[in-house]
Amino acid sequence: MNSLIYQYYSQTTVERGMSSILLDSLKEDLNNASRSSLQNPNDEVYKLSQKYLEDLLINDELLSTDQFTTTSTAFSAESPANGNIHSKNVTQEIAELDLQQHQINKQLSSLTDSHKDLIIDVNHDLNEINNNLTNDYQNAINSLKKSVNIDSKFHVSDHYYKLNQESILSNIDTVLDILELPTLCRLCILQGNYQESLEISIYIKSLIIRFPKLQIFKIVSDQIEIELQKMLKGLLKLLNTNLKQNHILKIFQILSKLETITTNKDSLLHRIYLNSRFKFIINEVESLTPILKFNKLTYLKRFVEVYREHIYSSIHIYHTIFKNEIDKLLLNQFITTLVSNLCREFTSYLPQIAPPSTVKSPDYSIESELELKNAIDGLILQLIYLCKSLSSYQFEFEPIIMSELCYKHDLISEQDWIRNSSKIKKHK
């Protein structure tokens, strides 16, 4: 017992001496204030520090290195039979952590492989965003700075704005007149004053040239152009009606000045005129269709009369409008199409006008036969006059009509045609 007590006190004395030596070594690294508080061994701070170091030296588990070794001697005698469990060392824990890391990496690889398309898309989007942020964003900032600088250069003082407002108010009537130009243009068109509407358009364009920076003039000009487009459509419809020569000439003077017709204006005006006259003539002959129910011969006579009147008039006005710019190809197509339509009508209805039977019957009379023959001769004379009127403009269509009616369909005999032609020569 005495030996144990002696051993305990000896160990305590050794540990206290070691703690004093350790404390003296450690206090050399302290600052002056802390070092001065540890100079006197009787001070409370010194005693507490020494006591703390003694506790550290006494604690075997804290200073033990068994946990950092591959084998442990402290627990070699312990076994599950004694109720003790063998603790893991550092190597085992590292191995388990490596295994867990391998499993996690495997799961990450599987997820990456199954979602590689999504990852590629996200990566592409991120690269694009990064590019926008690094390049486009900086360019946008620079352009914004430039615009701000430009605005600051052209910044006008409040005094200048006040003068502008006073100037506008003093000329408010003129401003309102300009804003009402589209309405005025519409009224001119409705009243048939097409020339005045063109003058309004020319006036607003002159203002645009004088003041190119004022957007209000461009807006007014666009509104006027809309009205002129409506006028153009109305004039084209009007050309399809029965107009006098003066009206047609006036319309084409206006069309030639319209800026809405820009591409191939000359050629387009030729086509507009011939197309409108063609539609008008076709509409006129179609209006004769009800006569077919009563008398086909009268229908054919009226058909030829419409042709004689309007074809000659159309060609004459065409030469008056375009003078030295005659498009003979278009004009030839225009007349050829109409003459083909004429031959088609004669082919359809002239065979139905049968001469009376030569067999004597109660209804037979020499007077009726002569009357029908004279009527057909009159129809042939009208055709010949039509051909002669067209020949005055160097269009020989008599061969076409003879080819269709005399030779191809044998509706009119060549002798009858020559006989009626000789009547015209004798009359001359």
Side-chain angles (χ1 to χ4, degrees):
M1 183 67 180
N2 292 330
S3 62
L4 291 173
I5 294 171
Y6 176 76
Q7 185 179 0
Y8 172 76
Y9 279 107
S10 298
Q11 184 177 358
T12 302
T13 303
V14 172
E15 290 174 352
R16 186 173 298 171
M18 291 178 63
S19 62
S20 298
I21 295 171
L22 182 59
L23 182 60
D24 291 338
S25 300
L26 293 175
K27 71 179 181 180
E28 297 297 331
D29 297 330
L30 300 176
N31 54 25
N32 295 330
S34 300
R35 191 187 307 157
S36 61
S37 62
L38 295 175
Q39 292 295 333
N40 190 0
N42 296 323
D43 289 341
E44 186 67 23
V45 176
Y46 187 91
K47 292 179 179 180
L48 290 174
S49 300
Q50 187 178 10
K51 181 67 171 59
Y52 178 75
L53 292 175
E54 287 177 3
D55 293 338
L56 288 176
L57 294 174
I58 293 172
N59 193 345
D60 294 335
E61 293 182 0
L62 182 63
L63 298 177
S64 176
T65 60
D66 290 341
Q67 295 182 358
F68 302 98
T69 59
T70 56
T71 58
S72 177
T73 58
F75 299 96
S76 59
E78 297 177 354
S79 64
N82 297 328
N84 296 322
I85 300 174
H86 181 68
S87 62
K88 298 178 181 179
N89 56 33
V90 175
T91 304
Q92 291 174 338
E93 291 181 357
I94 291 173
E96 291 180 357
L97 291 174
D98 287 339
L99 179 61
Q100 292 177 1
Q101 183 180 6
H102 177 71
Q103 293 175 350
I104 292 172
N105 289 335
K106 188 175 180 181
Q107 292 177 357
L108 288 175
S109 299
S110 176
L111 289 173
T112 303
D113 185 63
S114 60
H115 298 85
K116 58 183 178 181
D117 294 335
L118 178 61
I119 294 173
I120 292 172
D121 293 339
V122 171
N123 183 52
H124 176 72
D125 294 340
L126 290 175
N127 290 333
E128 185 176 357
I129 292 172
N130 181 52
N131 183 47
N132 292 336
L133 290 176
T134 54
N135 298 326
D136 298 343
Y137 179 75
Q138 189 63 35
N139 294 334
I141 293 295
N142 294 333
S143 61
L144 184 61
K145 288 181 179 179
K146 290 180 180 179
S147 63
V148 170
N149 293 332
I150 292 173
D151 291 340
S152 62
K153 290 180 181 178
F154 291 97
H155 179 70
V156 185
S157 62
D158 294 337
H159 177 68
Y160 181 78
Y161 280 120
K162 187 176 181 180
L163 291 176
N164 278 343
Q165 291 176 356
E166 292 177 355
S167 176
I168 292 173
L169 291 175
S170 62
N171 297 281
I172 190 65
D173 293 336
T174 305
V175 174
L176 292 177
D177 290 341
I178 293 174
L179 295 177
E180 291 175 355
L181 286 178
T183 304
L184 181 61
C185 181
R186 187 186 310 118
L187 291 176
C188 291
I189 294 171
L190 292 176
Q191 294 176 359
N193 300 321
Y194 305 117
Q195 189 65 36
E196 286 75 6
S197 63
L198 290 178
E199 292 176 358
I200 292 173
S201 176
I202 294 171
Y203 173 69
I204 195 64
K205 284 180 171 56
S206 66
L207 292 179
I208 293 175
I209 295 172
R210 288 177 59 190
F211 308 100
K213 294 183 179 181
L214 293 180
Q215 294 297 322
I216 186 63
F217 293 144
K218 295 181 181 179
I219 295 173
V220 173
S221 177
D222 292 340
Q223 294 175 352
I224 292 175
E225 287 299 322
I226 293 174
E227 300 299 331
L228 293 180
Q229 287 284 352
K230 295 179 181 178
M231 182 186 75
L232 175 61
K233 294 179 181 178
L235 291 177
L236 294 180
K237 290 181 180 179
L238 190 61
L239 283 173
N240 296 333
T241 60
N242 189 11
L243 296 176
K244 294 182 179 180
Q245 179 176 341
N246 292 335
H247 293 160
I248 296 176
L249 292 175
K250 182 179 179 181
I251 289 174
F252 271 86
Q253 287 176 357
I254 295 169
L255 292 178
S256 62
K257 295 178 182 178
L258 276 177
E259 294 185 0
T260 52
I261 304 175
T262 54
T263 57
N264 298 326
K265 179 180 287 188
D266 294 336
S267 176
L268 186 58
L269 290 177
H270 286 260
R271 294 176 183 275
I272 288 173
Y273 175 79
L274 294 176
N275 182 61
S276 62
R277 291 293 89 192
F278 179 82
K279 289 182 178 179
F280 166 68
I281 294 173
I282 293 299
N283 290 335
E284 287 293 307
V285 295
E286 286 180 352
S287 65
L288 303 175
T289 304
I291 303 177
L292 285 171
K293 297 179 181 179
F294 306 102
N295 194 322
K296 294 180 175 60
L297 183 60
T298 304
Y299 168 76
L300 293 177
K301 286 184 177 181
R302 291 287 298 121
F303 197 100
V304 178
E305 288 175 3
V306 171
Y307 263 45
R308 282 187 60 193
E309 177 184 359
H310 295 298
I311 292 180
Y312 181 84
S313 174
S314 298
I315 298 175
H316 175 71
I317 296 174
Y318 178 81
H319 281 77
T320 304
I321 295 173
F322 300 104
K323 296 179 181 178
N324 298 326
E325 299 176 357
I326 304 300
D327 191 336
K328 292 185 178 181
L329 179 61
L330 279 177
L331 195 57
N332 185 66
Q333 291 177 351
F334 167 74
I335 299 176
T336 303
T337 306
L338 289 174
V339 173
S340 299
N341 185 50
L342 171 68
C343 294
R344 187 165 52 252
E345 293 295 315
F346 269 73
T347 304
S348 300
Y349 300 111
L350 189 58
Q352 301 178 23
I353 308 173
S357 176
T358 56
V359 180
K360 293 184 179 181
S361 63
D363 298 330
Y364 174 78
S365 64
I366 298 175
E367 290 81 5
S368 60
E369 182 181 1
L370 292 174
E371 183 179 354
L372 179 59
K373 187 176 181 181
N374 291 331
I376 293 176
D377 285 343
L379 183 61
I380 296 173
L381 278 173
Q382 284 184 303
L383 287 174
I384 295 172
Y385 278 120
L386 173 62
C387 295
K388 297 299 181 182
S389 64
L390 295 179
S391 64
S392 61
Y393 285 99
Q394 299 178 354
F395 290 101
E396 297 293 338
F397 285 97
E398 185 173 353
I400 298 177
I401 294 179
M402 289 186 66
S403 174
E404 290 289 328
L405 302 182
C406 297
Y407 305 122
K408 184 176 181 180
H409 299 285
D410 197 19
L411 298 176
I412 300 173
S413 65
E414 185 178 357
Q415 291 79 9
D416 290 341
W417 187 275
I418 295 173
R419 178 169 50 82
N420 285 284
S421 296
S422 62
K423 293 179 182 179
I424 297 176
K425 293 178 181 179
K426 289 179 181 180
H427 180 71
K428 288 183 178 180

